[in-house]
């Protein structure tokens, strides 16, 4: 049996139903023009007009023309959807990248001409200015349409993209905005039916003559077939008409370039590691959502094409072979893909046969080896399918929220709460009046407006109220988090998305009542259940980041600005924080310092006992550095003490706890905690002495010279020069500076220690000289120290008592030993440098000898010693003639 489209398009004789339709339409000739247009609109949109079925034959020409006229899309919204990106392009590139914007510009500049509509086929020319120095370009555009949808497009620009090109946009907008200026003709079959034999022959011959190079072979082939009585073409009544549109039972949908969609998705997935590729794929997802929102069947078509390309991603097989998980970016894209399929399959507007086909597709894809598995315990054949809760956190009717579920609805692979909430909100969404190129982003984004839409059969209920209840029940559901870090993170992201969705809703009195009711149900018994919830969290959540976020949220909720704190919830927050500290103690993360500071702050909110408890149990919670530098210090700051409002005895108790903590940390890690312990114990003599003794003991146990010098400088700054001197000598005993280490990191510390000993007096200076000689073998350093000590009398510094009347001589004790050491160092260093010296270093060596002579001359017989030294060099290294010549020129 012939399909209706074939019957209509081939000009078969009218049957009895069609004769009735024609008669009915003829009776309609007396109708007013407005009523005739209204009827034609109904036919154009759905072919459901009671007086016109699927053909034009015997229908009055005015009705035919109006049906053809009204069959072209009348809204620019769809044109915009099929010719604009899902996200705004970079600034300044709107005209270059958005076909809709470019097409609108072409229309406004008068680039569209020679527009002709023949039946359901529209054609026209678009003149586009060329680039500078290039001629104007002419493009011929053809558009087929049916029942207010564009079903195919063709343009001479050969643009291959997901969207209609700018030239198709320009012609479409011209037809919408200037419809009455378009030359209108009936389908060509209707025109041909009005011609006699001579007219038809003339028409065919003129057509062949005008395009003989293109159509002559086809025309001859068709003529041969028609003249052959038994040919297939003679067995069929009528002939096809590309301008006559489709039949009533034929599917009609907007034109979509399936091949180009597949190619683009494939290319973007191959560049999956780049941010731009993920963004473009998300823009395609947004385009699918936009189509679904407008009930466009292409939404499901496009999603099928994208899913097939996702399953052909070569990385899936590679990850499966390696046993590796997806990257987070890729997994998020798969999540969006799954969420869209939920929207498609659950759509109330789809036909049963469509849903059955989609489910069959999903089942076939699910059986593929490369189809990725959802992380966590979710499966289609496991125990999770057996419901552990009442039917829909019935629950809506009962308002029950205290059931513990092994499977959560928020973060579930099928996202039931998110899908249901969005579907209910979508039913309440107010349509936008203005055209928006980028509905979901960019500067044109506006807050979505919702209205109460009554629920049929439920007086007083609205879809908006149900959307809020669903979201609150999902967020308030007590549930165990799934296994796996990504699945847990997905739960958090779904919660954030739900909250963001609710933020778009303007709360009126009805919604506020719902919020109060659900909040009351959630808070019924918020102490009896808190510890049960805490135990469940501690048992099931193994991600420190998630636990820390929960702890922060609990603390924030428990400390409102305008109300007293909730001590029970604060205790829960502290317990969660303590667990985070224990979990991350040996796994350092960049957030540890933030976590430690927050824990001290939370304990402070609870009270001094909580703060002292974490100080007393620091071993299992903090590293020594964290305990000494953050916990003890932050817990005793002026701001903390004011916050706690303690009396004198309780304040001293807290200080004592902090000092004990600091001393314990100093014993555990003296290198990093000794100085903080000393600082914290300054105001308590016994504690300070204990901290100082820890430093002395640690010096014997390997505390480095750098740390000892740091503590020594601290002691001097606190007015304890003798203790500073003691620590400096301990540091010098560990130090060793070789002859060629002029820029050793400890040079400044050594010079400071020497200045300190000189300021204290001759006795301290005498005691430190042997240490200097033993530790320092660098000649310039030794001579620099010697020169500094000879400039003034020892004991004249601000910290020392006056013990000498005049400066010490370099040739007298105790400096004579240092002078001998400096001279010996210069001699040793000279021989060492001359062993491997190159000509380009001769100048530096001469300068070095100059400094050596200055040191030699500090001795009574220094001139003689230096002369002997030079003679020894000349004899030993006489082979270095050029160098020795330079020595003679400078020193004789």
């Amino acid at each position: 049996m012939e399909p209706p489209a074939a019957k209509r398009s081939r000009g078969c004789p009218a049957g009895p139903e069609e004769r009735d339709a024609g008669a009915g339409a003829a009776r309609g000739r007396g109708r007013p023009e407005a009523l005739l247009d209204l009827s034609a609109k109904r036919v154009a949109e759905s072919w459901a007009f009671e007086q016109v079925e699927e053909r034009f034959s015997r229908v009055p020409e005015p009705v035919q023309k109006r049906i053809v006229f009204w069959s072209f899309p009348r809204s620019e919204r769809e044109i915009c959807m099929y010719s604009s990106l899902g996200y705004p392009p970079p600034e300044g590139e709107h005209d270059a990248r958005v076909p809709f914007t470019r097409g609108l510009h072409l229309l406004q500049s008068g680039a569209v001409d020679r527009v002709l509509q023949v039946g359901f086929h529209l054609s026209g020319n678009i003149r586009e200015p060329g680039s500078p120095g290039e001629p104007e370009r002419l493009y011929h555009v053809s558009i087929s349409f049916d029942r207010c949808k564009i079903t195919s497009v063709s343009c001479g620009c050969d643009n291959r993209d997901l969207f209609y090109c700018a030239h198709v946009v320009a012609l479409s907008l011209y037809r919408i905005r200037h419809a009455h200026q378009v030359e209108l003709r009936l389908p060509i079959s209707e025109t041909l039916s009005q011609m006699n034999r001579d007219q038809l022959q003339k028409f065919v011959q003129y057509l062949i003559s005008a395009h003989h190079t293109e159509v002559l072979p086809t025309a001859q082939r068709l003529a041969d077939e028609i003249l052959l009585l038994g040919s297939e073409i003679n067995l069929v009544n009528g002939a096809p008409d590309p301008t006559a549109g489709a039949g009533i039972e034929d599917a009609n949908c907007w034109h979509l370039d399936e091949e180009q969609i597949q190619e683009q998705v494939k290319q973007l997935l191959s560049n999956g590691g780049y941010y731009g590729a993920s963004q473009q794929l998300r823009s395609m997802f947004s385009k699918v959502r936009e189509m679904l929102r407008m009930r466009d069947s292409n939404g499901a078509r496009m999603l099928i094409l994208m899913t097939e390309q996702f399953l052909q991603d070569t990385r899936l097989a590679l990850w499966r072979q390696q046993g590796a998980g997806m990257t987070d970016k890729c997994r998020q894209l798969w999540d969006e893909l799954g969420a869209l399929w939920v929207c498609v399959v659950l759509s109330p507007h789809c036909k049963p046969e469509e849903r059955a086909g989609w489910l069959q597709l999903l089942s076939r894809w699910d059986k593929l080896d490369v189809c990725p598995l959802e992380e966590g315990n979710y499966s289609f054949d496991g125990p999770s399918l057996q419901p552990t809760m009442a039917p829909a956190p019935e629950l809506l009717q009962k308002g029950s929220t205290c059931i513990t579920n092994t499977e959560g609805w928020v973060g579930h692979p099928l996202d039931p709460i998110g899908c249901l909430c969005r579907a209910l909100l979508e039913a309440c969404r107010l349509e936008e009046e203005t055209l928006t190129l980028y509905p979901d982003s960019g500067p044109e984004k506006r807050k979505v407006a919702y209205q109460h839409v009554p629920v049929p059969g439920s007086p007083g209920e609205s879809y908006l109220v149900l959307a809020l209840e669903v979201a609150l029940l999902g967020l308030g559901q007590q549930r165990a988090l799934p296994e796996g870090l990504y699945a847990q993170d997905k739960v958090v992201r779904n919660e954030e998305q739900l909250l963001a969705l609710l933020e778009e809703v303007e709360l009126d009195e009805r919604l506020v009542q719902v919020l109060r009711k659900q909040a009351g149900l959630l808070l019924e018994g918020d102490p009896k259940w808190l510890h049960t919830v805490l135990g469940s969290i501690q048992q099931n959540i193994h991600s420190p980041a998630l636990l820390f976020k929960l702890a922060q949220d609990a603390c924030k909720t428990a400390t409102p600005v305008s109300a007293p704190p909730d001590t029970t919830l604060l205790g829960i927050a502290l317990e969660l924080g303590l667990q985070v500290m224990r979990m991350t103690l040996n796994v350092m993360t960049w957030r540890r310092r933030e976590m430690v500071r927050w824990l001290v702050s939370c304990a402070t909110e609870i009270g001094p006992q909580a703060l002292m408890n974490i100080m007393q149990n620091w071993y299992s919670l903090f590293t020594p550095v964290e305990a000494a530098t953050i916990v003890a210090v932050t817990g005793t700051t002026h701001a903390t003490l004011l916050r706690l409002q303690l009396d004198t005895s309780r304040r001293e108790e807290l200080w004592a706890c902090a000092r004990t903590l600091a001393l314990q940390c100093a014993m555990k890690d003296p290198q990093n905690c000794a100085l903080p312990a000393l600082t914290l114990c300054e105001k308590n003599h016994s504690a300070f002495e204990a901290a100082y003794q820890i430093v002395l003991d640690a010096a014997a146990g390997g505390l480095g010279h750098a740390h000892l010098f740091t503590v020594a400088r601290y002691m001097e700054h606190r007015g304890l020069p003798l203790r500073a001197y003691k620590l400096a000598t301990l540091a010098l005993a560990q130090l060793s500076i070789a002859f060629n280490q002029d820029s050793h990191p400890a040079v400044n510390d050594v010079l400071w220690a020497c200045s300190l000993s000189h300021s204290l007096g001759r006795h301290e200076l005498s005691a430190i000289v042997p240490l200097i000689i033993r530790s320092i073998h660098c000649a310039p350093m030794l001579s620099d120290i010697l020169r500094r000590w000879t400039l003034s009398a020892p004991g004249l510094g601000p910290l020392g008592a006056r013990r000498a009347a005049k400066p010490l001589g370099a040739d007298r004790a105790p400096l004579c030993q240092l002078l001998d050491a400096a001279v010996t160092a210069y001699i040793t260093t000279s021989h060492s440098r001359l062993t491997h010296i190159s000509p380009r270093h001769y100048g530096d060596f001469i300068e070095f000898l100059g400094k050596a002579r200055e040191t030699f001359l500090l001795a009574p017989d220094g001139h003689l010693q230096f002369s002997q030294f030079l003679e020894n060099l000349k004899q030993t290294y006489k082979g270095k003639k050029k160098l020795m010549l330079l020595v003679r020129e400078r020193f004789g």
Side-chain angles (χ1 to χ4, degrees), residues 87-165:
Y87 64 97
E91 192 67 27
E93 294 188 17
H94 284 226
D95 287 341
R97 293 189 57 183
V98 184
F100 185 86
T101 307
R102 290 177 54 210
L104 187 60
H105 177 73
L106 288 170
L107 173 68
Q108 293 170 344
S109 62
V112 184
D113 66 355
R114 301 194 66 180
V115 181
L116 173 66
Q117 180 177 334
V118 180
F120 300 91
H121 184 84
L122 183 71
S123 63
N125 291 339
I126 311 295
R127 300 182 181 277
E128 186 171 29
S131 303
E134 295 183 2
E136 179 183 73
R137 289 170 290 187
L138 178 66
Y139 300 107
H140 182 72
V141 180
S142 297
I143 298 176
S144 295
F145 53 91
D146 178 40
R147 282 168 276 181
C148 302
K149 295 183 178 71
I150 292 176
T151 55
S152 68
V153 298
S154 173
C155 179
C157 70
D158 291 329
N159 176 64
R160 296 301 306 274
D161 200 353
L162 294 179
F163 311 111
Y164 300 163
C165 68

Side-chain angles (χ1 to χ4, degrees), residues 632-651:
V633 174
T634 307
T636 54
T637 59
H638 183 65
T640 301
L641 296 176
L642 282 179
R643 175 72 177 156
L644 293 172
Q645 297 180 344
L646 303 176
D647 57 24
T648 305
S649 61
R650 291 287 283 169
R651 181 174 295 191

Side-chain angles (χ1 to χ4, degrees), residues 555 558-559 565-576 578 598-611 613-614 643-644 650:
C555 184
T559 53
D566 184 336
T567 54
T568 305
L569 191 55
L570 269 176
I572 298 294
L574 183 65
E575 283 296 324
L576 291 173
L578 293 174
W598 176 87
L599 189 71
V600 175
S601 174
C602 182
T604 303
E605 290 291 339
I606 295 176
Q609 191 57 52
L611 196 56
N613 283 341
I614 65 172
R643 175 72 177 156
L644 293 172
R650 291 287 283 169

Side-chain angles (χ1 to χ4, degrees), residues 277-597:
S278 298
Q279 280 295 95
Q280 290 187 56
L281 286 169
R282 286 193 173 91
S283 79
M284 295 178 72
F285 287 143
S286 298
K287 189 60 65 179
V288 173
R289 287 191 183 278
E290 192 178 351
M291 291 174 177
L292 295 177
R293 183 179 297 130
M294 299 182 72
R295 302 182 187 177
D296 188 338
S297 60
N298 276 340
R301 285 177 65 201
M302 187 168 174
L303 190 59
I304 290 173
L305 296 171
M306 294 184 70
T307 306
E308 289 174 341
Q309 290 304 310
F310 265 69
L311 287 167
Q312 293 176 25
D313 188 353
T314 55
R315 295 175 298 174
L316 293 179
L318 182 64
W319 287 329
R320 188 172 185 274
Q321 290 172 2
Q322 296 175 345
M326 287 186 186
T327 62
D328 280 354
K329 281 185 181 179
C330 190
R331 192 177 291 277
Q332 288 170 15
L333 292 173
W334 274 93
D335 285 346
E336 288 197 52
L337 195 72
L340 282 172
W341 270 115
V342 173
C343 294
V344 169
V345 175
L346 297 184
S347 171
H349 307 295
C350 71
K351 300 175 183 177
E353 57 270 22
E354 287 178 326
R355 182 179 287 114
W358 294 331
L359 291 174
Q360 188 176 3
L361 264 179
L362 291 169
S363 178
R364 177 165 60 84
W365 289 334
D366 183 57
K367 293 176 182 176
L368 297 176
D369 289 339
V370 294
C371 186
L373 300 175
E374 179 69 26
E375 188 178 49
N377 287 329
Y378 304 120
S379 71
F380 290 100
D381 54 0
S384 61
L385 273 182
Q386 305 301 321
T388 58
M389 71 253 350
E394 290 180 19
L395 293 181
L396 280 172
Q397 297 298 324
K398 297 177 181 177
S400 176
T401 60
C402 58
I403 297 176
T404 300
N405 303 284
T406 57
E407 183 177 66
W409 293 346
V410 177
H412 190 281
L414 298 180
D415 191 21
I417 294 294
C419 287
L420 186 54
C421 185
R422 289 187 183 91
L424 292 169
L425 286 176
E426 193 66 35
C428 307
R429 183 171 179 155
L430 285 172
E431 288 295 328
E432 299 175 7
E433 296 180 359
T434 58
L435 198 63
T436 305
L437 285 180
Y438 320 109
D440 298 323
S441 58
E444 301 177 28
K445 183 179 181 182
R446 294 172 304 185
K447 191 165 186 178
V448 181
Y450 297 101
Q451 61 182 348
H452 285 280
V453 177
V455 179
S458 300
E461 287 279 20
S462 81
Y463 288 124
L464 194 56
V465 167
L466 291 179
L468 181 59
E469 285 185 343
V470 165
L472 293 175
L473 284 172
L475 291 169
Q477 182 197 26
Q478 298 190 19
R479 57 195 181 272
L481 278 179
E483 296 179 1
L485 294 181
Y486 180 82
Q488 293 177 8
D489 184 59
K490 184 179 175 182
V491 172
V492 176
R493 280 190 284 110
N494 280 171
E495 289 176 344
E496 291 172 347
Q497 289 167 2
L498 270 177
L499 291 172
L501 206 60
L502 293 181
E503 286 179 356
E504 294 181 352
V505 180
E506 292 282 352
L507 291 179
D508 58 16
E509 187 57 34
R510 291 178 68 181
L511 297 180
V512 169
Q513 291 299 328
V514 172
L515 192 60
R516 285 175 180 164
K517 174 186 173 184
Q518 292 300 321
L521 291 171
L522 287 172
L523 293 173
E524 259 183 17
D526 188 2
K528 185 174 91 171
W529 285 99
L530 268 179
H531 290 285
T532 303
V533 173
L534 174 63
S536 178
I537 289 172
Q538 291 175 325
Q539 181 179 355
N540 295 294
I541 300 183
H542 309 292
S543 167
L546 286 177
L547 283 173
F548 183 53
K549 181 170 175 49
L550 282 173
Q552 285 180 305
D553 291 343
C555 184
K556 185 177 180 181
T557 304
T559 53
V561 177
S562 57
D566 184 336
T567 54
T568 305
L569 191 55
L570 269 176
I572 298 294
L574 183 65
E575 283 296 324
L576 291 173
L578 293 174
Q579 182 168 350
V580 171
M581 291 296 102
R582 285 189 286 266
M583 291 173 68
T584 59
L585 179 59
N586 298 317
V587 185
M588 290 294 104
T589 68
W590 61 273
R591 298 192 68 187
R592 269 287 294 191
R593 290 183 67 84
E594 177 193 355
M595 293 174 174
V596 174
R597 291 184 188 280

